[in-house]
Every structure is written in C-alpha cells, then in structure tokens.
Amino acid sequence: MMSSKEAQSLKNGAVPGEPVKTDKNSRRGNWGNQIEFILTSVGYAVGLGNVWRFPYLCYRNGGGAFMFPYFIMLVFCGIPLFFLELSFGQFASQGCLGVWRISPMFKGVGYGMMVVSTYIGIYYNVVICIAFYYFFSSMTNLLPWTYCNNPWNTPTCNGVVTPRGINNTLANVTRSLVTGATEVAVEVVNKTKRTSPSEEYWKHYVLQISDDIGNFGEVRLPILGCLAVSWVVVFLCLIRGVKSSGKVVYFTATFPYVVLTILFIRGITLEGAVTGIKYYLTPQWHKILDAKVWGDAASQIFYSLGCAWGGLITMASYNKFHNNCYRDSIIISITNCATSVYAGFVIFSILGFMAHHLNVDVSEVADHGPGLAFVAYPEALTLLPISPLWSLLFFFMLILLGLGTQFCLLETLVTAIVDEIGTDWIVRNKTVVTGGVAIVGFLLGVPLTTQAGIYWLLLMDNYAASFSLVIISCIMCICIMYVYGHKKYFKDVEMMLGFPPPIFFRVCWRFVSPIIISFILIFTVIQYKPITYNDYVYPGWSLAIGFLMAMSSVICIPIYALYKIAKSEGTTFLERLKNSCKPDVKWGPALSEHRIGLYATPGSEGEVEVRPLKEELKEKEKEDEKRDEISLTIQGSNGSTAHNTTPSA
C-alpha cells in the first residue's frame, strides 16, 4: 500500500526513495515555481540604474578598462552577498524582520531595511510615473519635444530637427537630410550655448521646475495622475502577493529584453553608432590604478544587485526550503551585470548617432540619471524616422524595469508587517495591508509631484539609500558570521541545500566581502561632494535633511539593540547582552518537517524521527516479507528513514 507522501512524491516527479521536496508553506504561500522566483529577482535587481547609471560610469571610468574591476567586485562581493541574503531568507522563511530571530538584538537591521525600502519605494514610483507621462505623450504623430515652436520654449532653444521650408536665421548652420518617412531636415547648430527642446520640455512643461527646493509651487496634476496610475498598477499586480506578482513577472521581467534588442538592432544600423560604442568600450588602462574607479565599480555592484534593501531576503522567504538558492544567486547576479553591459551598447549606439549629427563629441551628449532618460535619449529619438514608435518602446521599457523593482520594494514592506504581526486575520487579509501601504506610499509621493519635486527626488536618491546600505550590509555580515557563528550558519545552509557552501563563499562571507564593504563605506565618505542639480546648488538645510534620511535607517540598529538588551534577562549588562544575542527559540526552518537535529522541538515531527545506522538498516531489510509489509517507512526531510511497526503510524 502506497502512503500519501509517496503518492504525492510520484505525482511531483520525485524518485521513490529520494527526499521529498514538495513542502508547501500554506500560511505564507510559496512561489508557483522557481522560474517565477528567478524572474522576480531578475526584475528586482535589473532596474533603471542598469540603463541610466552603468553606461555613464563605464565611459567615465575608463570605458572597457572599467569592466575589469567591475567583474572583480561582482565575483568577490556581489555574488557572495547575494547568496548570503537569499540563503538567509529561504532558511527561515521570514521577511526582513522575522529573520533576525537568528540574533534578536540585531533586529534593528531589519527595521533599517524597511526604512530604506520605504524611501526608495516612494521616489522610485515617481520616476515610473514620469516614464508613464512620457509614454502617454509619445502617443502622437509628432513628439512634443521635437521643435522649439511651443509656448514653453525660450529664445535660447535650438532644436536639431525642423520641418522642411522653415527659415532659420541662426549662424553657422549646416544642413543634411535624414532619409525616411518623416522627410525632415536636420540642422546642426554650432552655438556657444544651446538649450535643446527636449530639455525645455522636461524643465518647463513636464516639471515646470521652481527655482529652489523650498519653493514647492503647485502640484503638477498630470504627474499626480500618472503617480496614481503607477500605484494602482503596482497594487493590482501584488493583490495576491507572490501568487499574482509571480505571474506578472513573466511579462515585466522579459519584455524589457525584447525592447532592448529592438533598440539595439535599430541603434547599430544608424550612422555614427560605431563611434558611440567605441567611446563606451575603449579601454583607458591608466585609469585602472585609480582608487575611484574601483570604488565606483564596487558601489555599482553593491547598489545594482539590491543588497541590504530587504527585498532579496523577502523574495527568498517564499521559496521552498530545499530550493537551490546557490544556483539562483549566480544566475541572477550574472544576468543583472550582463544586462547593464548590454544596455550600454543600446544607449551609446543612439548617443553616437546623435553626436554625429550634432558634430560634437559623445561626452557632450552623454549623461546619466534623469538627464539621460528624459533629456538626452528623448532628443536622440527625434532624429529617428517614425520617432513616436521608438519613444513608446523606450519608455515602455523604463516602466517595466521600474515596476520589476517596485514590486519587490512593496512586497518587502507588506511581508515584514504581516510576518511581524502574524495574526490569522492579517495573514488572511494581506491584500488590505498591501492596499494600505500603497495608499500611504502614494500620499508620501505627492510632494515629489510639485514644482520642486525633482530636487527632493534627487535628494532622496543620493542620501536615503547611500552609505546607510553599506553599514546595514556590513552589520548583517558581522552578525551572521561572528555573532551567530559561521560554523552554525554553514551547517544551516548544508541542511537546507544538501551540501555546504563552497569554500570560496565561506571565505568571502567571513573576510573578503566585509573588507570590500568597508572599502565602499570609506570610499563613499572620502568621495562625498554636496549634491547639485545642473547649476543649482542645494542649500545647507536641505543637505541636513538628506543626512537625517540616511541616518534614520542606521539609527534603528543601536536603538533597537539597547531596547532588546534592556528587556533581556540577566542581572548584569554582560548577561543581558549575551542573552539578547542568543538565537530565539523560534529561529530555524518554518515548517516542522524541516526542524530536525538542533531545531527539533518536543513533540515535533523532527524529534520523533529515528535515524538507524547503516548496519541496522541492512539487518532490517533481511527480515521476513510479512514484517516489511506491516512496517511503514516515513520519509524524512533529509532523506533518512524511520521505521515504525504499528500500522497506525
């Protein structure tokens, strides 16, 4: 007679006699399959920074020479930290707060991750909403930022494209024809000061930017409406948690690659594209000895993979216990970095084309951040035949890249709240929590839709998630490796995966990665420069607010540590400190079937499990067939078997 577990194992394609890995956390839920987890994690790691930050850093730091320190940092810092966070969340099946049962005193690290994710989630969705705005604006026969004959343009505006037949009295003008359906003339203007129509459209029409960060002006209603659309989309995609977002990512995580490929094929066929790609890749080997280049490489790897945001821990917590997160970490990390390199080809092929027509160096049209996404690239698109089509594709790609990251940011906050409260009602009504977080996020994002919103957005981007992430990640490594103990954690990973972490990762977790993280922190402090936006210099009071935002996540760590020490048992400070660092009794695998060995609790399934010696097992196999038919084999989670001679077992 086949047991129900054996029947289920056969149903799931497992080999009889092998460990059954069909655990299902019915309370929290699991990913539908591993493809959903990998696609979600790729969507989380691959974001707007891959398009508007990496290519700029690459050409600024030695072109092809930058690739060398970049991949060195990927191997020794990026992948190890990625694997550490995935294994951490998967082992405990808890979000960024619940995992700190490993050492309750450090739960403030989890709160710090929540604060960081909150800041990023607020301004990241504003960037997505602006991409929505440009996407809707591209649904026209003529892109509105093509010419300088609009009410918002200034006398200094000078476009590179004008309709045939329009007289231009500007001096030093050369003219060439762009073949294609649009039948336009391209006018290359050599002027000392040139304001592009795309820049004026961005500043004077979309943002209607004020003159100071303290001058909020009015709320830009079109942007506010797009922000509402953006939050509604995020909420609907997360309405059933990972069950719904896991289905959406089949599109949001893969289609950007389709768009990138289309833009790449179009870009490399343009005149001047080769010049742009050469500028992007040409190695300047003398820069490889510059500490700044290595610092930028380490920082880019660290931030682009989303380490210390809490999202990796949260996404991994929905994995099945025996999932091979070691394999996943390598796949996702390499995919993220390969996407950055690939996006560089796409961006610089178009910028090379633009530089060719403007008769300037590529460095004069290259930019990063919002300047690349909403000024330089849109202007380049106006030079292409059927420009609205390419504009729609580009901004649709930005929307999908942003949504992939935003899904995980919101899920991180929701999961932390639900896991922390943990009542049956809040678990059943997780959708209500998701809606509540989305509404609060929308309201907190309203100030960023004012005329001073871009100043605040850049302030949050530069301070809310900068050196605070480095500190959080460093403390996480120290806690797991040295407070909890590296030997215990290695055994935990072995129990979960079936094999111990490779020695390379053990060395990186204990020594190499913390050293690199410390290097990033020191480099960030040394390299610090007050933030500016074009010619605008931020006032001192706004920089103070920026530092407060950065410290608000870090300060959670010592505050909670002191609170936990005060609440712990003991008569002396050292006793309280020691007790507050000990793992909580609930630390370990979430499901009882996985709580074996050190994690077995009285009356649990793990404790009654019997592990006969090989010799005893062989003797029992030689017993008469009747006894074998009566005995039932209970499959353990680690592949061992326990024999019980009572049919009722």
Side-chain angles (χ1 to χ4, degrees), residues 127-140:
V127 177
I128 297 172
C129 89
I130 297 175
F132 265 114
Y133 185 91
Y134 271 80
F135 177 76
F136 295 140
S137 299
S138 300
M139 295 179 179
T140 176

Side-chain angles (χ1 to χ4, degrees), residues 326-404:
Y326 165 66
R327 171 204 60 203
D328 296 344
S329 62
I330 295 176
I331 292 174
I332 298 165
S333 300
I334 293 177
T335 301
N336 173 69
C337 296
T339 303
S340 296
V341 176
Y342 186 39
F345 284 96
V346 177
I347 297 298
F348 274 88
S349 63
I350 300 291
L351 294 183
F353 166 68
M354 184 178 179
H356 173 77
H357 279 279
L358 289 175
N359 197 27
V360 297
D361 193 73
V362 179
S363 61
E364 295 184 35
V365 293
D367 202 349
H368 73 108
L372 173 63
F374 301 118
V375 177
Y377 209 88
E379 183 177 19
L381 294 173
T382 61
L383 296 168
L384 300 176
I386 325 178
S387 53
L389 171 64
W390 306 112
S391 183
L392 282 169
L393 285 174
F394 177 73
F395 289 109
F396 188 52
M397 178 187 70
L398 287 187
I399 290 169
L400 295 181
L401 288 174
L403 287 176

